[in-house]
Amino acid sequence: MRLVGLEAVIFYLFAVVAILFAIFMITARSAVHSALFLISTLVASAGLYFLLQAEFVAGVQILIYVGGVLVLFIFVIMLVNIKEEDTKIFNRQILIASILSFFLGLGIIAILLQTQKGNFFTLVSPLPPKIEQVQNSPNISQSHNISQNTIKIGQELYTRAVLPFEIASLVLLVAIVGAVRLARERKQEKIYD
Amino acid sequence: MYIYLLSAPIWFSKLPILKDYLDPMVLDYLVWPLVQIGLLLFVVLTLIAYLTLAERKISAWIQVRIGPNRVGPQGLLQPLADGIKLLIKEDLIPLKADKGIFIVAPIIAMVAALVSLAVIPWGAAWATISNIDVGLLFILAVSSFGVLGIILGGWASNSKYALLGALRSAAQMVSYEVPMGLALIGALMFTKTLALQDMVINQENLHIWNVLFQPLGFLIYLISGIAETNRAPFDLPEAESELVAGYHTEYSGFRFSLFFIAEYASMLIISAIAVTVFLGGWYLPGLSYILIPGSTLFVLASIGVFAFKTLVLLYVFFWLRWSLPRYRYDQLMELAWKWMIPASLANILLTATILVIAKEFGLIESQGNFLSISTAGYIFLIGTAFIITVPLTWIILGQINARSRDFNLREVEPLPMNRAKKNS
Amino acid sequence: MADITDITDITDIIEQENESNEMILSMGPQHPSTHGVLRVVLKLDGEIVTDLDCDIGYLHRGVEKICEHRNYQMIAPYFDRTDYIAAVSNGLCYVETIEKALNLEIPLRAQYLRVILVELNRLSSHLLWLATHALDIGAVTVFLWAFREREEILKIFENFFGARLTCHAFRIGGMTYDAYDGFQAQVKSFCDRFPKCLEDYETLLNTNRIWLSRTVGIGIISSDDAINIGLTGPPLRGSGVEWDIRKAHPYECYSDLEFDIPYGENGDTYDRYLVRMEEMRQSRRIILQALEKLPDGEVMAPKAPKTVKPPIGEYYHSIESPKGELGIYLVSDGSAQPARLRIRPPSFVNLQALRQMAIGHLVADVVAIIGTLDIVLGEIDR
């Protein structure tokens, strides 16, 4: 897809931020700093989703990952109170890790090249809808602006993808129950009951 | 463009100086939003400053005091004095604090609170900055961001009280986000959109406020909203009698005031969303008969209606704060997980069922993005909401929670007395 | 359970914290709700208190030692400053101890005036307790409402004693001066208005769900434990023990007055709250009766000696102060200064119940329990 004008600027801004903070995340010494950088990465990628007109995915990304998962991450980090220790950033598994990530990178590039049929930087996609579509209509509902993908996601989730969706929710439920069971010691139960 | 900006009013594009030098498109989509943003920030920040004064005056009134009355007439310049005081105070950063995060945390809290202002429909037509199609989701996402500021602030202070406050608020806000989001879903079934401006327009088309269809949802939303903004009776993260000041114990000067502004701004937003989703936003029955819809006067009136409704809800916030004691941490969690979340789920289930039944009987019809409801449909929907949804949820939850410790408070009985037993 | 009594400074705490996963929180001495300069070292598992220890003495002034170097008349004002919330009661206790040692009968009018003032003081002390207790639990408005009524009592005190906090008009043998003009009318009008105010507080709290869930079943202490620890006053009566020195060993003219002693059943914070609220009603009743029966006459015993020299011996006298049994143990060597004077402060004894009451509860409950014990640090540290 060729990016033009403001859109390109925003895209590259978000992309660079996401990658930079991802690097910061794995090199940060303090666990809380790592979490903070991960949050920045996630927010930047949410920005990219916005750019892809996937507002719903972007919103949910922030709501679930930043507002939920990472808040809990930080919560746990604070609870176990990991100190800023002089642990080495690189350990013995660096060789295996670098080989694995090399192959992973190759794989990603291969897939990209294949899907873009070699014209990775030149492919032209239809331009996004124009501003005029939402022209001056002071009091008339802009309901037609509802992006189709939000509706699509909803419909897919409740029609074709209903079984995987339900299975996933069941797995999550099991995980919750398991976590509660693991976390609650006898002593605590005695105090609470 | 993916963020749908609402175009400027006609009189704005006719302003003589602007018209001559600027392209109409630039005027509509660059200059006008900037004007709006500037105006909004000015108005909202001033409003927040005066909300603190209002809170002090209202609390004084509740507590048979006079309240601030020294600075300016009737104490009207008090917020200014407070602001100046906070600005020129020494900026303290604890020695062992995590300096970077300590500085960033209040900024995160404040930004998260203020960004949400962009999508709130402050009034009809051009009074709103933008109407993005996932407006509600956007607000929920951004406000969930605000938790981070509090947690990080508490953690970075390197103080035990602050850390305890931060942990409490993390648990509290994550817990209450769930019922808050779920409570809105019931209303979404009627408005059929996530865009906030469209929600108001849909309510205008139905000539009703959603609160009549969704009394339970409104209640759950309001309670969760109070908890989400850390206000009494859920102000545990900053419970001064236990945790001194909670997460902002170590903050002083302007950094503290950023947290303070964030709290008031999120109160404002919670009220604004409650007004938009449940109380009809800027829609007031009969307003369109008095004034011509779309005219400047109408828009101004709609802003007034919206502001009035929001201020009423804010008054409820203050009122509750100054009359109720504080919940304990575990009771707060119990309220969230044993009452609010099941109740909001039950609300979704019952609302959906009622809607399906109404559709089967032909009482409501789906027309594109709108519902059309017959007179019998109105009676049916409002009746079932009040007669079935609320009592049924109450009874079921009461039965489920009957064995809960806090539910079984013993009856209040008069004390026994040692009646005039004389001995010497 | 690790012993945390030997924690003396911050470094020790941090070291101990690293050893176990439990968090050690030092609450106070500068803390909004430890009612002064009490320091409570809490050992927390999450937010549950697993152990705690009180660190007192931040307000120690050595009152008992000072007393050994003062003449008997000079000692009296020191007592206004031990329990500064109930200065009148403390003054009464001291004066009565000496009168008991001297075997001095004081005029009836002085007795009645003393009772009125002491009961007014009980009201003001209980109002302050209610205010701070409610504030600790988060009900801010009750705080100011209670202060409004306390203000009226303090105005009466100001008129009578010339001071609001360190009220002092009792002398060995009676009172320094008689009541001012209009005293009775002022007290009467306050008493007439007071029940309405009590009702207001009770409307806010008694059946408030949050208040109930914060107080019912919190800080339970059984009547046996309460007696063993030596609790007195409302904490003891809240556990269901009918013990009030005004009834058990009546002093002044209490035996002529009719009043009831409220007591609780469950020994929890809510019962103690109810007991104190009812005590306020009873105090009002006592004041009204005393006002009615107030006789004319002298307020100073004619036989009161100029230099007080109690006979050699040991004397103990106690009264029911708003917080519990306030006792003074006096050893006299026959000189004009006591050989030893020991105060039995109710707050000090009552505070010992804190550990038993608070373990297993949450941090927020510790605050509520400290509030319900109604301690005054001036009295504990002396």
Side-chain angles (χ1 to χ4, degrees), chain B residues 62-63 160-161 168 240-242 322 324-326 328 331 406 410 412 415-421 423, chain C residues 17 24 26-27 31-33 47 136-137 141 144-145 213-214 218 247 260-261 263 266 268 271 278 365:
Chain B
I62 290 173
Q63 298 170 344
K160 279 175 186 168
Y161 290 114
R168 278 181 174 192
E240 76 271 2
S241 60
E242 300 143 32
W322 297 105
L324 290 178
R326 181 182 303 119
R328 205 174 56 205
Q331 293 161 352
D406 286 308
R410 66 183 154 73
V412 181
L415 286 175
M417 292 264 198
N418 184 335
R419 293 265 164 222
K421 200 170 86 185
N423 56 350
Chain C
E17 186 177 10
I24 288 172
S26 171
M27 211 161 110
H31 190 279
S33 52
E47 282 214 24
D136 287 344
I137 295 182
T141 296
L144 280 140
W145 285 12
S213 57
R214 284 300 303 276
I218 302 300
K247 285 273 187 206
D260 303 330
I261 299 170
Y263 58 95
N266 309 287
D268 58 7
D271 274 16
E278 184 56 37
D365 295 329

Short mmCIF file of all heavy atoms in Angstrom, two decimals, chain B residues 62-63 160-161 168 240-242 322 324-326 328 331 406 410 412 415-421 423, chain C residues 17 24 26-27 31-33 47 136-137 141 144-145 213-214 218 247 260-261 263 266 268 271 278 365:
data_model
loop_
_atom_site.label_atom_id
_atom_site.label_comp_id
_atom_site.label_asym_id
_atom_site.label_seq_id
_atom_site.Cartn_x
_atom_site.Cartn_y
_atom_site.Cartn_z
N ILE B 62 -23.82 21.75 53.46
CA ILE B 62 -24.29 20.52 54.09
C ILE B 62 -23.86 20.48 55.55
O ILE B 62 -24.58 20.00 56.41
CB ILE B 62 -23.75 19.29 53.32
CG1 ILE B 62 -24.43 19.19 51.95
CG2 ILE B 62 -23.96 18.00 54.09
CD1 ILE B 62 -23.87 18.13 51.06
N GLN B 63 -22.67 21.01 55.82
CA GLN B 63 -22.12 20.90 57.16
C GLN B 63 -22.35 22.15 57.99
O GLN B 63 -21.60 22.40 58.93
CB GLN B 63 -20.62 20.62 57.06
CG GLN B 63 -20.33 19.32 56.37
CD GLN B 63 -18.87 19.17 56.06
OE1 GLN B 63 -18.13 20.13 56.09
NE2 GLN B 63 -18.47 17.95 55.75
N LYS B 160 5.03 3.66 51.36
CA LYS B 160 4.12 2.53 51.56
C LYS B 160 2.67 2.94 51.44
O LYS B 160 1.86 2.22 50.88
CB LYS B 160 4.38 1.90 52.92
CG LYS B 160 5.56 0.98 52.86
CD LYS B 160 5.91 0.45 54.22
CE LYS B 160 7.20 -0.34 54.09
NZ LYS B 160 7.76 -0.66 55.39
N TYR B 161 2.35 4.11 51.97
CA TYR B 161 0.96 4.55 51.87
C TYR B 161 0.58 4.75 50.42
O TYR B 161 -0.50 4.35 49.98
CB TYR B 161 0.77 5.85 52.65
CG TYR B 161 0.85 5.66 54.13
CD1 TYR B 161 1.85 6.21 54.89
CD2 TYR B 161 -0.12 4.89 54.78
CE1 TYR B 161 1.92 6.02 56.25
CE2 TYR B 161 -0.06 4.69 56.14
CZ TYR B 161 0.95 5.27 56.88
OH TYR B 161 1.00 5.06 58.22
N ARG B 168 -4.71 -0.46 45.74
CA ARG B 168 -6.15 -0.43 45.92
C ARG B 168 -6.83 0.13 44.69
O ARG B 168 -7.81 -0.42 44.19
CB ARG B 168 -6.50 0.48 47.09
CG ARG B 168 -6.36 -0.16 48.43
CD ARG B 168 -6.77 0.85 49.46
NE ARG B 168 -6.81 0.29 50.78
CZ ARG B 168 -7.34 0.91 51.81
NH1 ARG B 168 -7.86 2.11 51.64
NH2 ARG B 168 -7.37 0.35 52.99
N GLU B 240 -8.20 9.27 53.51
CA GLU B 240 -7.22 10.01 54.30
C GLU B 240 -7.11 9.47 55.71
O GLU B 240 -6.09 9.64 56.35
CB GLU B 240 -7.53 11.50 54.31
CG GLU B 240 -8.69 11.93 55.20
CD GLU B 240 -10.01 11.88 54.47
OE1 GLU B 240 -9.99 11.48 53.29
OE2 GLU B 240 -11.04 12.24 55.06
N SER B 241 -8.14 8.77 56.19
CA SER B 241 -8.04 8.31 57.56
C SER B 241 -7.20 7.04 57.65
O SER B 241 -6.75 6.68 58.72
CB SER B 241 -9.42 8.08 58.15
OG SER B 241 -10.11 7.13 57.40
N GLU B 242 -7.00 6.36 56.52
CA GLU B 242 -6.19 5.15 56.59
C GLU B 242 -4.84 5.35 55.91
O GLU B 242 -3.80 5.01 56.43
CB GLU B 242 -6.92 4.00 55.88
CG GLU B 242 -8.25 3.67 56.50
CD GLU B 242 -9.25 3.30 55.44
OE1 GLU B 242 -8.85 2.74 54.42
OE2 GLU B 242 -10.44 3.58 55.63
N TRP B 322 -20.39 13.92 50.70
CA TRP B 322 -20.44 14.54 52.01
C TRP B 322 -21.49 13.93 52.92
O TRP B 322 -21.70 14.41 54.02
CB TRP B 322 -20.63 16.04 51.88
CG TRP B 322 -19.48 16.63 51.17
CD1 TRP B 322 -19.45 17.06 49.88
CD2 TRP B 322 -18.15 16.79 51.66
NE1 TRP B 322 -18.20 17.48 49.55
CE2 TRP B 322 -17.38 17.33 50.62
CE3 TRP B 322 -17.53 16.51 52.88
CZ2 TRP B 322 -16.03 17.60 50.76
CZ3 TRP B 322 -16.19 16.79 53.01
CH2 TRP B 322 -15.45 17.33 51.97
N LEU B 324 -22.04 10.21 53.00
CA LEU B 324 -21.89 8.78 53.25
C LEU B 324 -20.51 8.46 53.83
O LEU B 324 -19.53 9.08 53.47
CB LEU B 324 -22.07 8.00 51.95
CG LEU B 324 -23.48 7.97 51.38
CD1 LEU B 324 -23.50 7.20 50.10
CD2 LEU B 324 -24.44 7.34 52.37
N PRO B 325 -20.46 7.45 54.70
CA PRO B 325 -19.16 6.96 55.16
C PRO B 325 -18.48 6.18 54.03
O PRO B 325 -19.06 6.00 52.97
CB PRO B 325 -19.50 6.03 56.33
CG PRO B 325 -20.92 6.24 56.63
CD PRO B 325 -21.55 6.77 55.40
N ARG B 326 -17.30 5.74 54.31
CA ARG B 326 -16.50 5.09 53.28
C ARG B 326 -16.60 3.57 53.38
O ARG B 326 -16.63 3.01 54.47
CB ARG B 326 -15.04 5.53 53.45
CG ARG B 326 -14.09 4.99 52.46
CD ARG B 326 -12.69 5.46 52.76
NE ARG B 326 -12.63 6.90 52.79
CZ ARG B 326 -12.28 7.61 53.84
NH1 ARG B 326 -11.95 7.03 54.95
NH2 ARG B 326 -12.24 8.92 53.80
N ARG B 328 -15.23 -0.28 53.03
CA ARG B 328 -13.94 -0.90 53.25
C ARG B 328 -13.53 -1.60 51.96
O ARG B 328 -14.36 -1.93 51.13
CB ARG B 328 -14.06 -1.91 54.39
CG ARG B 328 -12.79 -2.18 55.11
CD ARG B 328 -13.05 -3.08 56.29
NE ARG B 328 -13.69 -4.31 55.85
CZ ARG B 328 -14.46 -5.04 56.63
NH1 ARG B 328 -14.70 -4.68 57.84
NH2 ARG B 328 -14.99 -6.16 56.18
N GLN B 331 -15.23 -4.84 51.07
CA GLN B 331 -16.66 -4.62 50.79
C GLN B 331 -16.86 -3.98 49.43
O GLN B 331 -17.81 -4.29 48.71
CB GLN B 331 -17.26 -3.72 51.87
CG GLN B 331 -17.30 -4.39 53.22
CD GLN B 331 -17.45 -3.39 54.34
OE1 GLN B 331 -17.38 -2.19 54.14
NE2 GLN B 331 -17.65 -3.91 55.53
N ASP B 406 -21.42 -9.68 54.51
CA ASP B 406 -21.86 -8.30 54.71
C ASP B 406 -23.33 -8.10 54.45
O ASP B 406 -23.91 -7.12 54.86
CB ASP B 406 -21.05 -7.37 53.82
CG ASP B 406 -19.65 -7.22 54.37
OD1 ASP B 406 -19.55 -6.90 55.56
OD2 ASP B 406 -18.71 -7.48 53.63
N ARG B 410 -26.87 -7.93 61.18
CA ARG B 410 -27.95 -8.24 62.11
C ARG B 410 -28.88 -7.04 62.26
O ARG B 410 -28.50 -5.90 62.00
CB ARG B 410 -27.38 -8.67 63.45
CG ARG B 410 -26.66 -7.62 64.20
CD ARG B 410 -26.07 -8.21 65.47
NE ARG B 410 -24.93 -7.46 65.90
CZ ARG B 410 -24.99 -6.26 66.44
NH1 ARG B 410 -26.14 -5.65 66.58
NH2 ARG B 410 -23.89 -5.63 66.81
N VAL B 412 -30.98 -4.06 63.68
CA VAL B 412 -30.63 -3.04 64.66
C VAL B 412 -31.68 -3.07 65.77
O VAL B 412 -32.86 -2.86 65.54
CB VAL B 412 -30.62 -1.67 64.00
CG1 VAL B 412 -30.23 -0.62 65.00
CG2 VAL B 412 -29.66 -1.68 62.83
N LEU B 415 -30.74 -0.96 72.67
CA LEU B 415 -29.85 -1.56 73.65
C LEU B 415 -30.60 -1.92 74.92
O LEU B 415 -31.54 -1.24 75.31
CB LEU B 415 -28.77 -0.56 74.02
CG LEU B 415 -27.69 -0.32 73.00
CD1 LEU B 415 -26.78 0.77 73.49
CD2 LEU B 415 -26.91 -1.58 72.74
N PRO B 416 -30.15 -3.00 75.58
CA PRO B 416 -30.71 -3.27 76.90
C PRO B 416 -30.19 -2.23 77.90
O PRO B 416 -29.15 -1.64 77.69
CB PRO B 416 -30.17 -4.66 77.23
CG PRO B 416 -28.97 -4.83 76.38
CD PRO B 416 -29.18 -3.99 75.16
N MET B 417 -30.94 -2.01 78.94
CA MET B 417 -30.55 -0.97 79.88
C MET B 417 -30.50 -1.53 81.29
O MET B 417 -31.30 -2.37 81.67
CB MET B 417 -31.59 0.16 79.89
CG MET B 417 -31.60 0.90 78.61
SD MET B 417 -30.62 2.32 78.73
CE MET B 417 -31.29 3.19 77.33
N ASN B 418 -29.59 -1.02 82.03
CA ASN B 418 -29.57 -1.30 83.46
C ASN B 418 -30.48 -0.27 84.11
O ASN B 418 -30.09 0.84 84.38
CB ASN B 418 -28.14 -1.16 83.95
CG ASN B 418 -28.01 -1.52 85.39
OD1 ASN B 418 -28.97 -1.44 86.14
ND2 ASN B 418 -26.83 -1.92 85.77
N ARG B 419 -31.73 -0.66 84.34
CA ARG B 419 -32.74 0.32 84.74
C ARG B 419 -32.55 0.75 86.19
O ARG B 419 -32.77 -0.03 87.11
CB ARG B 419 -34.14 -0.25 84.57
CG ARG B 419 -34.51 -0.48 83.15
CD ARG B 419 -35.29 0.69 82.57
NE ARG B 419 -35.28 0.58 81.12
CZ ARG B 419 -35.10 1.59 80.31
NH1 ARG B 419 -34.90 2.79 80.80
NH2 ARG B 419 -35.11 1.43 79.03
N ALA B 420 -32.12 1.94 86.37
CA ALA B 420 -32.08 2.60 87.67
C ALA B 420 -31.78 1.66 88.83
O ALA B 420 -32.49 1.61 89.82
CB ALA B 420 -33.39 3.33 87.93
N LYS B 421 -30.75 0.85 88.64
CA LYS B 421 -30.39 -0.08 89.71
C LYS B 421 -29.55 0.69 90.72
O LYS B 421 -28.42 1.05 90.46
CB LYS B 421 -29.61 -1.25 89.13
CG LYS B 421 -29.61 -2.48 90.00
CD LYS B 421 -29.03 -3.66 89.27
CE LYS B 421 -27.50 -3.69 89.40
NZ LYS B 421 -26.89 -4.76 88.62
N ASN B 423 -27.40 1.13 93.94
CA ASN B 423 -26.68 0.52 95.05
C ASN B 423 -25.61 1.47 95.51
O ASN B 423 -25.13 2.31 94.75
CB ASN B 423 -26.11 -0.85 94.67
CG ASN B 423 -25.21 -0.74 93.45
OD1 ASN B 423 -25.18 0.29 92.80
ND2 ASN B 423 -24.50 -1.79 93.15
N GLU C 17 11.26 -6.63 57.03
CA GLU C 17 10.36 -6.76 55.89
C GLU C 17 10.98 -7.64 54.82
O GLU C 17 10.31 -8.44 54.19
CB GLU C 17 10.04 -5.39 55.33
CG GLU C 17 9.00 -5.45 54.25
CD GLU C 17 8.64 -4.07 53.77
OE1 GLU C 17 9.34 -3.12 54.14
OE2 GLU C 17 7.68 -3.98 53.01
N ILE C 24 5.43 -4.47 56.56
CA ILE C 24 5.31 -3.83 57.88
C ILE C 24 5.07 -2.36 57.67
O ILE C 24 5.83 -1.68 56.98
CB ILE C 24 6.56 -4.11 58.72
CG1 ILE C 24 6.53 -5.58 59.14
CG2 ILE C 24 6.59 -3.22 59.93
CD1 ILE C 24 7.74 -6.06 59.80
N SER C 26 4.30 1.30 59.33
CA SER C 26 4.36 2.10 60.54
C SER C 26 3.31 3.19 60.45
O SER C 26 3.44 4.12 59.68
CB SER C 26 5.75 2.69 60.69
OG SER C 26 5.77 3.61 61.74
N MET C 27 2.25 3.02 61.21
CA MET C 27 1.15 3.99 61.14
C MET C 27 1.34 4.99 62.27
O MET C 27 1.27 4.65 63.43
CB MET C 27 -0.16 3.23 61.31
CG MET C 27 -1.33 3.83 60.59
SD MET C 27 -2.60 2.60 60.43
CE MET C 27 -3.79 3.22 61.54
N HIS C 31 -0.08 10.64 61.75
CA HIS C 31 -1.08 9.99 60.90
C HIS C 31 -2.42 10.60 61.25
O HIS C 31 -2.71 10.85 62.41
CB HIS C 31 -1.07 8.48 61.16
CG HIS C 31 -1.89 7.72 60.18
ND1 HIS C 31 -3.25 7.62 60.30
CD2 HIS C 31 -1.56 7.03 59.07
CE1 HIS C 31 -3.72 6.89 59.29
NE2 HIS C 31 -2.71 6.53 58.53
N PRO C 32 -3.25 10.85 60.23
CA PRO C 32 -4.49 11.58 60.51
C PRO C 32 -5.42 10.89 61.48
O PRO C 32 -6.21 11.55 62.12
CB PRO C 32 -5.15 11.69 59.14
CG PRO C 32 -4.17 11.23 58.15
CD PRO C 32 -3.05 10.57 58.83
N SER C 33 -5.36 9.57 61.59
CA SER C 33 -6.41 8.95 62.40
C SER C 33 -5.88 8.09 63.51
O SER C 33 -6.53 7.15 63.93
CB SER C 33 -7.34 8.14 61.51
OG SER C 33 -6.57 7.28 60.73
N GLU C 47 -3.78 -6.71 52.90
CA GLU C 47 -4.27 -5.65 53.77
C GLU C 47 -4.75 -6.18 55.10
O GLU C 47 -5.32 -5.45 55.90
CB GLU C 47 -5.41 -4.86 53.08
CG GLU C 47 -4.87 -3.89 52.06
CD GLU C 47 -5.69 -2.62 51.98
OE1 GLU C 47 -6.37 -2.28 52.96
OE2 GLU C 47 -5.65 -1.98 50.92
N ASP C 136 -13.17 8.99 60.80
CA ASP C 136 -12.28 7.87 60.48
C ASP C 136 -12.95 6.92 59.50
O ASP C 136 -12.29 6.34 58.65
CB ASP C 136 -11.92 7.09 61.75
CG ASP C 136 -10.95 7.86 62.62
OD1 ASP C 136 -10.36 8.82 62.10
OD2 ASP C 136 -10.81 7.51 63.79
N ILE C 137 -14.24 6.73 59.68
CA ILE C 137 -14.93 5.81 58.80
C ILE C 137 -15.36 6.52 57.52
O ILE C 137 -15.78 5.88 56.57
CB ILE C 137 -16.08 5.13 59.58
CG1 ILE C 137 -15.46 4.27 60.68
CG2 ILE C 137 -16.95 4.29 58.69
CD1 ILE C 137 -16.42 3.50 61.49
N THR C 141 -19.53 14.65 57.29
CA THR C 141 -20.51 15.64 57.73
C THR C 141 -20.82 15.52 59.21
O THR C 141 -20.97 16.53 59.90
CB THR C 141 -21.77 15.50 56.88
OG1 THR C 141 -21.41 15.82 55.54
CG2 THR C 141 -22.84 16.43 57.32
N LEU C 144 -18.61 17.64 61.46
CA LEU C 144 -18.87 19.05 61.69
C LEU C 144 -20.16 19.29 62.44
O LEU C 144 -20.28 20.24 63.21
CB LEU C 144 -18.84 19.80 60.38
CG LEU C 144 -17.39 20.05 59.99
CD1 LEU C 144 -17.16 19.86 58.54
CD2 LEU C 144 -16.95 21.41 60.44
N TRP C 145 -21.12 18.40 62.22
CA TRP C 145 -22.37 18.55 62.97
C TRP C 145 -22.11 18.39 64.46
O TRP C 145 -22.62 19.14 65.29
CB TRP C 145 -23.40 17.53 62.50
CG TRP C 145 -24.01 17.86 61.19
CD1 TRP C 145 -23.57 18.82 60.32
CD2 TRP C 145 -25.16 17.28 60.60
NE1 TRP C 145 -24.36 18.84 59.23
CE2 TRP C 145 -25.36 17.91 59.37
CE3 TRP C 145 -26.04 16.27 60.98
CZ2 TRP C 145 -26.40 17.57 58.51
CZ3 TRP C 145 -27.08 15.94 60.14
CH2 TRP C 145 -27.25 16.59 58.91
N SER C 213 -21.99 -1.87 57.76
CA SER C 213 -21.02 -2.87 57.33
C SER C 213 -19.61 -2.51 57.76
O SER C 213 -18.74 -3.37 57.79
CB SER C 213 -21.10 -3.08 55.82
OG SER C 213 -20.89 -1.88 55.15
N ARG C 214 -19.40 -1.25 58.13
CA ARG C 214 -18.08 -0.90 58.63
C ARG C 214 -17.95 -1.12 60.14
O ARG C 214 -16.84 -1.12 60.67
CB ARG C 214 -17.77 0.57 58.33
CG ARG C 214 -17.41 0.87 56.91
CD ARG C 214 -16.19 0.13 56.46
NE ARG C 214 -15.02 0.38 57.28
CZ ARG C 214 -14.21 1.41 57.13
NH1 ARG C 214 -14.43 2.27 56.19
NH2 ARG C 214 -13.18 1.57 57.91
N ILE C 218 -17.09 -5.73 63.80
CA ILE C 218 -15.69 -5.28 63.72
C ILE C 218 -15.15 -5.07 65.14
O ILE C 218 -15.79 -4.45 65.96
CB ILE C 218 -15.61 -3.94 62.93
CG1 ILE C 218 -16.19 -4.10 61.54
CG2 ILE C 218 -14.17 -3.45 62.88
CD1 ILE C 218 -15.52 -5.12 60.69
N LYS C 247 -22.73 4.16 89.21
CA LYS C 247 -23.72 3.32 89.88
C LYS C 247 -23.09 2.46 90.95
O LYS C 247 -23.63 2.27 92.03
CB LYS C 247 -24.39 2.39 88.86
CG LYS C 247 -25.37 3.07 87.96
CD LYS C 247 -26.74 3.10 88.60
CE LYS C 247 -27.73 3.65 87.59
NZ LYS C 247 -28.88 4.28 88.23
N ASP C 260 -30.00 5.53 83.58
CA ASP C 260 -29.81 4.14 83.19
C ASP C 260 -28.41 3.95 82.63
O ASP C 260 -27.79 4.89 82.14
CB ASP C 260 -30.82 3.73 82.13
CG ASP C 260 -32.24 3.95 82.61
OD1 ASP C 260 -32.45 3.84 83.82
OD2 ASP C 260 -33.10 4.24 81.77
N ILE C 261 -27.96 2.72 82.71
CA ILE C 261 -26.67 2.40 82.11
C ILE C 261 -26.92 1.53 80.88
O ILE C 261 -27.38 0.39 81.00
CB ILE C 261 -25.77 1.65 83.09
CG1 ILE C 261 -25.50 2.54 84.31
CG2 ILE C 261 -24.46 1.28 82.42
CD1 ILE C 261 -24.83 1.80 85.40
N TYR C 263 -25.94 -0.91 77.92
CA TYR C 263 -24.83 -1.83 77.62
C TYR C 263 -25.16 -2.63 76.37
O TYR C 263 -26.32 -2.84 76.02
CB TYR C 263 -24.53 -2.75 78.81
CG TYR C 263 -25.70 -3.60 79.26
CD1 TYR C 263 -25.84 -4.90 78.79
CD2 TYR C 263 -26.63 -3.11 80.16
CE1 TYR C 263 -26.90 -5.68 79.21
CE2 TYR C 263 -27.69 -3.88 80.58
CZ TYR C 263 -27.83 -5.17 80.10
OH TYR C 263 -28.87 -5.94 80.49
N ASN C 266 -22.90 -7.52 71.79
CA ASN C 266 -21.96 -8.24 70.93
C ASN C 266 -20.53 -7.78 71.09
O ASN C 266 -19.62 -8.42 70.61
CB ASN C 266 -22.38 -8.07 69.47
CG ASN C 266 -23.84 -8.42 69.28
OD1 ASN C 266 -24.19 -9.58 69.32
ND2 ASN C 266 -24.67 -7.42 69.14
N ASP C 268 -19.06 -5.36 69.67
CA ASP C 268 -18.41 -4.87 68.45
C ASP C 268 -18.47 -3.35 68.39
O ASP C 268 -19.03 -2.69 69.26
CB ASP C 268 -19.02 -5.52 67.20
CG ASP C 268 -20.50 -5.27 67.07
OD1 ASP C 268 -21.03 -4.49 67.88
OD2 ASP C 268 -21.13 -5.86 66.19
N ASP C 271 -21.91 -1.74 68.65
CA ASP C 271 -22.49 -1.71 69.99
C ASP C 271 -21.88 -0.60 70.83
O ASP C 271 -22.58 0.09 71.57
CB ASP C 271 -22.30 -3.06 70.69
CG ASP C 271 -23.42 -4.02 70.34
OD1 ASP C 271 -24.11 -3.73 69.35
OD2 ASP C 271 -23.59 -5.02 71.04
N GLU C 278 -26.34 6.37 73.53
CA GLU C 278 -27.34 6.31 74.58
C GLU C 278 -26.82 7.02 75.84
O GLU C 278 -27.58 7.69 76.54
CB GLU C 278 -27.69 4.84 74.88
CG GLU C 278 -28.80 4.65 75.89
CD GLU C 278 -30.08 5.36 75.51
OE1 GLU C 278 -30.40 5.41 74.31
OE2 GLU C 278 -30.75 5.90 76.42
N ASP C 365 -10.10 -1.24 59.24
CA ASP C 365 -10.75 -1.56 60.50
C ASP C 365 -9.92 -1.13 61.68
O ASP C 365 -10.46 -0.76 62.73
CB ASP C 365 -11.04 -3.06 60.59
CG ASP C 365 -12.03 -3.49 59.55
OD1 ASP C 365 -12.89 -2.67 59.21
OD2 ASP C 365 -11.95 -4.63 59.08
#
